[in-house]
Amino acid sequence: MMGRSPWRVNSTQPDLHGRVALVTGANSGLGFEAALGLAHRGAKLILPVRNPEKGQNALNRLRADCARADVTLLPLNLASLRSVAECARAVGALTDRIDIQINNAGVMAPTRRMETEDGFELQLGVNHLGHFALSAHLRPLLEAAEGGGVLVTVASLAAGKNTIHFNDLQFRHRYSPFGAYQQSKLANLLFAQELARKAGERGWNIHSRAAHPGWAATSIVANGQASTLPKPLGLIEQTLGTAILRVMGQSAAKGAEPLLYAALAPQARDGDYYGPQGTGERRGPPGPAIVPPTARKASLAARLWDVSERLTNTAW
């Protein structure tokens, strides 16, 4: 029986009063639980959300659980580089620094190929490119944090199942729902590691780390594959998927612990990867995660970085 994790969501330590934290995708699942964990510790929250109604519901739930929560909602559609730039400007009008940023929002395995406003395959566009651009825009605020802002990028166990298909990055020729998802999550992990390398080499005042939740029972199944199926099939897919995650994995609150660990633990190191410590890294308290072989290729990360800068028209 594993002991109680000190990185549970409702802990009040470490004290984050006076710190500013930004979490994407905080209207549900991992993002909500991570935001709740930061709120309980006293951080001032900035939550960019795509759906205003869901954002308001999340805000109400946050304040019901943590009455003192200091939260500002902002609009953000990661499937639009225009929206990303507008959100970054709005963040800059709210604060002069970001102490903690968690790039969490994502979409998983829609059954048919979909595109962002800018013509990117949806999963690569939202999970990686949207966050890449947002983080580039927010870099001055991260660097303005005392001691350097901490940027946590949420990857997945799926990151070790594929590679980056530079010959068909947008999956235009042969779309695979989970293949595209795996590529996008590997991109997340490669980005976190390359940012840590560049920050170290160039003296940027940023701490970049990656984390994954194991198998966490969140709404990502409902928002991804299930949402693109006919309604009866979608409900079945959603029910079965969530049930499997609950039985073999862990709750969204437990899944958020590696994210909080990566952001806050004194022993967390730049460029490292964190996840559950149980069998197969599917569940359990947080700690170091295994970096899949493909994600250890610095040349792959550097090439992806260059391609991402070009596609998003951003320069770090």
Side-chain angles (χ1 to χ4, degrees):
M1 185 76 176
M2 294 180 178
R4 195 179 189 197
S5 170
W7 299 102
R8 62 192 185 278
V9 166
N10 62 358
S11 172
T12 57
Q13 295 298 322
D15 186 352
L16 297 180
H17 285 88
R19 303 290 185 92
V20 179
L22 182 148
V23 184
T24 67
N27 60 285
S28 65
L30 296 175
F32 175 84
E33 298 294 346
L36 183 58
L38 295 167
H40 276 298
R41 292 165 171 83
K44 177 180 179 179
L45 295 177
I46 299 173
L47 306 182
V49 295
R50 183 174 60 86
N51 184 306
E53 184 180 351
K54 289 181 178 179
Q56 188 59 49
N57 289 340
L59 176 58
N60 295 340
R61 289 169 57 214
L62 275 167
R63 288 182 173 155
D65 197 293
C66 180
R68 63 182 181 175
D70 183 347
V71 186
T72 302
L73 297 177
L74 288 177
L76 170 63
N77 178 7
L78 284 160
S80 163
L81 293 178
R82 174 186 49 79
S83 174
V84 167
E86 289 172 354
C87 178
R89 285 193 289 271
V91 173
L94 280 176
T95 182
D96 61 358
R97 72 190 187 284
I98 295 173
D99 298 282
I100 299 159
Q101 179 176 333
I102 300 180
N103 288 346
N104 158 80
V107 61
M108 184 179 79
T111 55
R112 65 180 183 275
R113 185 183 178 278
M114 302 168 72
E115 288 191 349
T116 69
E117 182 179 289
D118 304 282
F120 307 136
E121 186 277 319
L122 184 66
Q123 296 176 86
L124 184 73
V126 169
N127 299 356
H128 169 60
L129 293 171
H131 280 122
F132 181 92
L134 179 67
S135 303
H137 290 309
L138 296 179
R139 175 186 153 194
L141 297 180
L142 286 162
E143 290 204 87
E146 184 179 355
V150 177
L151 175 57
V152 176
T153 302
V154 180
S156 164
L157 285 170
K161 309 294 184 185
N162 214 319
T163 188
I164 305 297
H165 301 275
F166 289 108
N167 61 338
D168 188 20
L169 196 62
Q170 308 300 341
F171 275 79
R172 290 193 175 96
H173 300 298
R174 181 175 289 183
Y175 177 68
S176 162
F178 281 99
Y181 178 70
Q182 290 160 354
Q183 174 181 254
S184 74
K185 300 317 285 184
L186 174 59
N188 288 149
L189 184 50
L190 290 168
F191 162 70
Q193 295 183 318
E194 184 65 9
L195 177 55
R197 274 191 289 268
K198 289 188 184 301
E201 290 168 0
R202 302 178 184 183
W204 296 346
N205 198 30
I206 296 175
H207 305 282
S208 174
R209 300 154 192 173
H212 77 82
W215 285 11
T218 72
S219 59
I220 196 165
V221 175
N223 293 338
Q225 191 160 57
S227 69
T228 57
L229 289 167
K231 194 166 186 179
L233 288 176
L235 288 172
I236 293 169
E237 176 83 10
Q238 178 182 344
T239 303
L240 285 176
T242 304
I244 290 168
L245 291 172
R246 282 179 179 153
V247 172
M248 300 186 68
Q250 57 189 0
S251 67
K254 289 287 186 184
E257 290 183 7
L259 283 58
L260 295 170
Y261 181 98
L264 305 174
Q267 59 269 47
R269 295 288 178 264
D270 297 352
D272 283 354
Y273 191 29
Y274 300 96
Q277 299 299 283
T279 304
E281 297 184 6
R282 291 189 296 269
R283 61 192 299 172
I290 296 170
V291 178
T294 311
R296 297 182 196 141
K297 298 178 180 178
S299 59
L300 188 68
R303 184 179 179 189
L304 176 65
W305 185 283
D306 290 343
V307 169
S308 301
E309 281 195 327
R310 189 182 76 249
L311 290 174
T312 59
N313 196 28
T314 55
W316 282 75

